[in-house]
Amino acid sequence: MGEVSETHAGWTFLTSHARVLATIAEDRRIRIRDIAARCRLTERAVQKIISDLEEDGYLTHTREGRTNAYRIQPGTILRHPAEAGMAVEALLSALARHDDQRDGQPQRSRTVRPRERDSESAR
């Protein structure tokens, strides 16, 4: 999701849950502290959001040494009836395309890379 602009007042289009998930999609080993800084949330809020996302099946994590490695479940359907049938992968792909266009980078997928998918299915 790139660098965060300075202060912002008022409402935003994306929820904190969407921002946290998109940040994890960029770096599956990111620390909660870094997610909080990027999303402009407290660490406690990020922990609660990650718990919500795990509870509803959007995200899992495994311990790797002293850090967590997150895995997004790309086929999980978004919760709101207005997005009925839309998977989280489509949302994250749209956000990644936007970031790539804004940053002038070639488009790439940030949800599940082939090698991650292969290593996950081998478990």
Side-chain angles (χ1 to χ4, degrees), residues 19-47 50 59 61-70:
R19 284 197 295 281
V20 167
L21 196 61
T23 301
I24 290 171
E26 289 181 6
D27 179 1
R28 64 185 216 100
R29 289 183 178 85
I30 192 167
R31 298 178 307 170
I32 287 176
R33 173 181 300 153
D34 297 328
I35 297 169
R38 185 170 297 165
C39 296
R40 306 257 171 152
L41 299 167
T42 65
E43 289 182 39
R44 174 170 248 151
V46 171
Q47 289 171 334
I50 288 172
L59 187 67
H61 79 274
T62 55
R63 287 296 284 175
E64 291 184 358
R66 294 175 47 188
T67 63
N68 288 322
Y70 299 98

Side-chain angles (χ1 to χ4, degrees), residues 24 69 77 107-108 121:
I24 290 171
I77 303 300
Q107 290 184 10
R108 58 196 151 115
S121 58

Side-chain angles (χ1 to χ4, degrees), residues 17 43-53:
H17 285 66
E43 289 182 39
R44 174 170 248 151
V46 171
Q47 289 171 334
K48 172 69 171 117
I49 289 168
I50 288 172
S51 176
D52 290 345
L53 293 169

